[in-house]
Amino acid sequence: MESVHYGINTMKETLYTIFTTVAMCLVLCITGCSHSASRYDSSIDDAERLMLTDTDTAMAMLDAIEYNDLKLDSTRAKYHYLRAWGHLRQRRSMVGDSLIVFSHNYYKGRDKVREMRSATALAWYKFWVGDMTGAISLLDSLSNLDNVPDSLKLQALRIRVLLGTSEYQGNELIPYASQLEAIETDTLRKMEANFMLVSAYEYAGKLDSALMLTDNLIDYARKSKWGDKQFIFEIERAQILGEMGCHKESDATIEGIFAKSSPDNGAADYLHMQLAINALNSGNLNRATKELAIADSFAAKFRNDDDTYYRSYSNLLRAMIDFKQDGKMKLAHVNGLNNRQRERYNRAKASQWESERSALQQQSRALALKAESQQKTVIILVIALVALLILVSAVWIMRHRRQRERENEERAEALQKMVDELKASPSQEHTGTHTPGALRRAMLQQLGILKMVAETPTEQNREMLRKISSIESDTGGELVNWNNVFELINTLYSGFYDKLHTAHGDTLTPKEEQIIVLMVAGFSTKEISVITGQTTSTIYVRKSSIRKKLGVPEKEDIVAFLREASGY
C-alpha cells in the first residue's frame, strides 16, 4: 500500500507540473491572440477616425490587418465597410469589395451613420460590377430617406447625380441634382452640382432653364476670376444655343471664346465641331465640311491615338453631311460609327478587366500573406511544442534525479542507523553469535561499503565509511553473502529459510525470498533496501507481489501470516 500511495503521489506531482506548463502555454497563446485582436480593433478604430481626413493612411492601416484573425462579426463588418468606403473615396476599383454586402446588412437598424455609408459604398460596388440599375435604385432609396441629416445623404446624392448624368437622364435627374445643389456647402461643389443640373435640363429638353443657369454660372465664374471654369461654361452655352436653333448666337459665343483664348486652345476641336453642327443645321454644307475638317486636324494634334471619343461624334456628323450632299447612306460611315462604338466598348471592358485583375492580384497578395502568416504560426507552434517537450523532459529528469537522491539519502540514513545501533549494542563477547543482533552485525559486515561509496560518493557516505572502517567485508562483489544470511536465519528461526524455500521456492523469486528472510529478522523497509541494493519503491512493489503469490490479505503482516499458516 505504501508503494501504491507513493507512486500515485509521484504521478500526481508529475502530471501537475505538465498541466501547469501546458496551461501557461495556453494562457500565453490566448493572451497573444487577445492582444492581437485588441490591437486590430484599435487599428480599425484609428483608421475610421482618419478616413475622412487622411484616406491613404487609413487604408494603409487596414491593409496591415490580417482579415482571418478577425473573429467577431462587428469587427469584420467595420473592416469591410471601411475598406469599401476608402476605395470609394480614393476612386479605386471596388470589384474586390463584395463583402460590403455583409457590412451593410450588419449595420441595418444598428448604426445610422455606418448604414448610410455602407449602403453608398454598396451602390458604388454595384456600379463597378456592371449593375447600373441596382446602383441607381439603391441611391434613389437613400436620397429619399426622411429624418436623415443632409451630411449623411451628401455622398449618396453626389454619386446618384453623377451616374444619372452618365446615363443621360433628364426629368428623372432634375430633382436629385437640385437637392444636391441645395445641400452642398462647398462653393466649388455647389458649382459642379449646378453644372450637372444644366445637363439634366438639357436631357429633359428644358433648354431655357439650362441656358439661364449656364449664364448664371458664367457670371459667377467671371466675378470669381475662375477663367478655366468660365471657359467650360461658355462652351456649354454655345452648345445649348445650337440646340435651341440660335445658330448665329452660338457661332458668336464660339468666336468670343476664340477671341479670349488662342485659336488652338485645348477645346478647339470640339468648338469647330459645334460650328460644323451649326452650319449643318443652317443648311450650309460647305461650311460644315470645312469646319469638320478643321476640327479633325485639331483632334489629330490634341488627341493623337486617344481620339476614340471625339471620332464617335465626328464620324456621325460626317455621315450626316455626306447624306445631306448626295442623299445616300454609305456603309463605310456605318462601319466607322460601329467601329468607334466597339472601340469604346472594348476599352470600357478592358478597364473593367484591369480593375478585376488588380482586385484579384490584391486578393492573391492577401492569400500569400495569409499563407506566410500561417506558415510562421506553424513554425511557432512546432517550436513551442519542442520547447514544451524539452521542458517536460527536463522536469522528469529533475524529478527522477531528486527521487534517486532522496532514496540514496534514505539508504544512507538507514545505514547510519544500523551503524549507530551496532556501536550501541553489546559486543559479541557478551551476546553470543546466534542472536538477531549477531545477524545485524553480520549483515553490516557484509555490506559492500566501498562499492556504494563509489556509486554515490557523497560526503555523508564518506563519513559513514570512516565510522565503520574497522568492519570487514568478504562478499566477493555482492552487497551481502546470502548463503551466510540464510544459514543465520535457519539457526535463529528454526530453519525458517529452508521451510520457506521448500514450500514456496517455485513461486517466489530469489529477491522475494531475500526480502522475506530480512523481514523475519526485523529489518525495516529502508534497511532492506540498503542490504539488497534496491530502492524503497522497488521493495514496496516486491512486497505487493509476495502478498499476491502467497495469498496474504492486504492488511495482514506477511511474516505473521507465514508463521500462523505454516507453523514456521
Side-chain angles (χ1 to χ4, degrees):
M1 285 299 293
E2 294 180 12
S3 63
V4 173
H5 290 306
Y6 179 81
I8 291 175
N9 291 333
T10 303
M11 184 179 296
K12 284 183 178 179
E13 292 177 2
T14 305
L15 290 175
Y16 175 78
T17 303
I18 296 175
F19 174 78
T20 304
T21 305
V22 174
M24 290 177 60
C25 293
L26 290 176
V27 168
L28 291 174
C29 292
I30 293 172
T31 303
C33 293
S34 299
H35 287 172
S36 177
S38 177
R39 177 171 58 84
Y40 283 155
D41 287 341
S42 177
S43 297
I44 293 174
D45 290 340
D46 291 341
E48 186 172 25
R49 284 190 289 270
L50 287 173
M51 188 60 70
L52 295 178
T53 57
D54 191 352
T55 304
D56 291 340
T57 300
M59 293 301 290
M61 295 173 67
L62 293 175
D63 288 339
I65 293 175
E66 175 56 51
Y67 163 70
N68 292 289
D69 291 339
L70 307 180
K71 305 302 181 184
L72 298 178
D73 286 348
S74 58
T75 308
R76 298 172 66 186
K78 187 189 296 186
Y79 172 80
H80 291 300
Y81 143 68
L82 288 175
R83 281 188 64 83
W85 183 252
H87 289 155
L88 185 154
R89 289 183 58 81
Q90 291 177 322
R91 298 181 181 181
R92 288 173 53 186
S93 169
M94 292 185 64
V95 174
D97 289 312
S98 60
L99 287 176
I100 185 60
V101 178
F102 165 76
S103 299
H104 177 55
N105 290 333
Y106 179 84
Y107 287 125
K108 275 184 180 179
R110 295 187 181 185
D111 188 319
K112 182 58 67 177
V113 174
R114 290 171 180 160
E115 179 182 356
M116 284 292 297
R117 288 179 177 174
S118 62
T120 303
L122 176 57
W124 196 237
Y125 165 75
K126 289 177 178 291
F127 161 76
W128 270 100
V129 297
D131 184 10
M132 180 67 79
T133 302
I136 292 178
S137 176
L138 179 55
L139 291 168
D140 285 348
S141 65
L142 296 176
S143 302
N144 293 322
L145 287 174
D146 297 328
N147 301 322
V148 176
D150 291 341
S151 58
L152 291 181
K153 286 186 178 182
L154 196 55
Q155 188 66 38
L157 269 172
R158 287 171 183 167
I159 298 176
R160 171 64 183 88
V161 173
L162 178 64
L163 296 184
T165 303
S166 68
E167 290 292 294
Y168 306 103
Q169 290 182 347
N171 289 321
E172 185 181 354
L173 180 60
I174 291 174
Y176 295 110
S178 300
Q179 184 182 2
L180 177 61
E181 188 277 333
I183 67 175
E184 285 284 13
T185 56
D186 182 80
T187 302
L188 287 177
R189 285 192 176 275
K190 184 178 283 291
M191 184 179 293
E192 291 173 357
N194 272 313
F195 192 56
M196 286 189 281
L197 182 57
V198 169
S199 299
Y201 282 138
E202 286 187 73
Y203 300 146
K206 299 178 179 181
L207 299 178
D208 290 337
S209 298
L211 182 61
M212 183 183 300
L213 185 55
T214 303
D215 288 340
N216 292 336
L217 289 173
I218 292 172
D219 291 340
Y220 189 86
R222 185 186 299 113
K223 292 177 182 178
S224 301
K225 296 182 179 181
W226 290 341
D228 55 339
K229 301 294 183 184
Q230 181 181 343
F231 179 77
I232 294 172
F233 297 151
E234 288 181 346
I235 293 176
E236 187 69 22
R237 184 175 189 278
Q239 294 175 348
I240 295 173
L241 288 170
E243 289 290 313
M244 296 175 67
C246 303
H247 304 131
K248 291 183 179 181
E249 292 183 48
S250 178
D251 290 348
T253 301
I254 294 173
E255 293 301 329
I257 294 172
F258 280 128
K260 288 182 286 187
S261 60
S262 61
D264 61 346
N265 60 66
D269 50 350
Y270 288 105
L271 290 171
H272 282 286
M273 182 184 291
Q274 185 62 49
L275 291 174
I277 293 173
N278 292 340
L280 178 61
N281 290 331
S282 301
N284 190 343
L285 299 181
N286 290 332
R287 186 188 174 199
T289 303
K290 177 182 176 182
E291 293 292 346
L292 186 57
I294 296 173
D296 286 346
S297 65
F298 278 117
K301 177 180 179 181
F302 297 152
R303 317 298 171 191
N304 296 322
D305 295 332
D306 189 22
D307 63 345
T308 303
Y309 184 75
Y310 167 81
R311 292 179 65 184
S312 66
Y313 288 97
S314 64
N315 284 345
L316 175 61
L317 184 57
R318 184 173 290 103
M320 295 177 67
I321 293 173
D322 290 345
F323 181 77
K324 283 276 190 178
Q325 287 176 338
D326 56 21
K328 295 180 180 179
M329 176 61 71
K330 298 179 181 178
L331 183 60
H333 292 147
V334 177
N335 288 338
L337 291 172
N338 181 66
N339 289 338
R340 298 290 80 74
Q341 293 297 324
R342 184 177 294 277
E343 287 177 6
R344 292 187 64 187
Y345 172 78
N346 289 339
R347 291 195 179 193
K349 292 299 292 183
S351 177
Q352 181 179 351
W353 290 336
E354 181 63 25
S355 298
E356 293 176 353
R357 188 170 70 88
S358 177
L360 289 174
Q361 287 177 342
Q362 292 178 359
Q363 293 177 357
S364 297
R365 285 195 294 270
L367 290 174
L369 290 174
K370 175 185 175 183
E372 182 179 354
S373 176
Q374 291 178 338
Q375 185 178 10
K376 290 180 179 178
T377 302
V378 171
I379 292 174
I380 292 173
L381 289 175
V382 170
I383 293 174
L385 180 60
V386 172
L388 180 60
L389 292 175
I390 293 174
L391 179 60
V392 172
S393 299
V395 170
W396 184 86
I397 292 172
M398 291 174 63
R399 288 192 58 80
H400 184 67
R401 181 175 297 174
R402 284 199 298 267
Q403 182 179 348
R404 291 185 60 185
E405 290 176 353
R406 185 166 56 248
E407 290 173 348
N408 289 335
E409 290 174 359
E410 291 176 352
R411 293 171 63 188
E413 290 175 0
L415 182 58
Q416 181 66 52
K417 182 179 178 182
M418 294 170 65
V419 172
D420 294 340
E421 290 176 354
L422 179 65
K423 289 183 175 181
S425 63
S427 63
Q428 290 186 17
E429 297 175 358
H430 298 90
T431 60
T433 59
H434 301 293
T435 65
L439 178 59
R440 283 181 172 273
R441 182 178 297 277
M443 288 295 179
L444 187 59
Q445 289 176 343
Q446 295 187 62
L447 289 175
I449 302 298
L450 292 175
K451 182 176 181 181
M452 190 176 71
V453 171
E455 291 176 349
T456 54
T458 63
E459 184 61 30
Q460 189 176 16
N461 285 351
R462 293 192 182 96
E463 180 64 23
M464 279 192 297
L465 180 60
R466 285 193 292 271
K467 290 181 180 180
I468 58 175
S469 58
S470 61
I471 302 175
E472 298 179 357
S473 176
D474 59 352
T475 60
E478 298 292 335
L479 290 179
V480 295
N481 187 324
W482 287 104
N483 291 328
N484 293 342
V485 172
F486 296 149
E487 182 179 349
L488 286 171
I489 289 293
N490 283 329
T491 302
L492 292 172
Y493 299 101
S494 305
F496 180 88
Y497 171 73
D498 290 340
K499 296 176 182 178
L500 175 69
H501 186 70
T502 301
H504 303 287
D506 296 336
T507 304
L508 298 174
T509 65
K511 292 289 186 183
E512 292 170 347
E513 290 182 339
Q514 294 168 10
I515 292 172
I516 292 174
V517 296
L518 292 177
M519 290 172 64
V520 168
F523 286 89
S524 67
T525 300
K526 291 182 180 180
E527 292 171 343
I528 294 174
S529 72
V530 173
I531 296 170
T532 59
Q534 304 175 67
T535 64
T536 54
S537 58
T538 301
I539 300 300
Y540 286 128
V541 172
R542 292 192 183 279
K543 282 184 178 182
S544 297
S545 176
I546 291 170
R547 288 183 181 277
K548 291 180 180 179
K549 291 181 178 180
L550 300 182
V552 182
E554 188 66 30
K555 295 183 179 181
E556 189 170 347
D557 182 73
I558 295 175
V559 175
F561 175 83
L562 287 173
R563 284 175 173 172
E564 181 179 351
S566 305
Y568 293 171

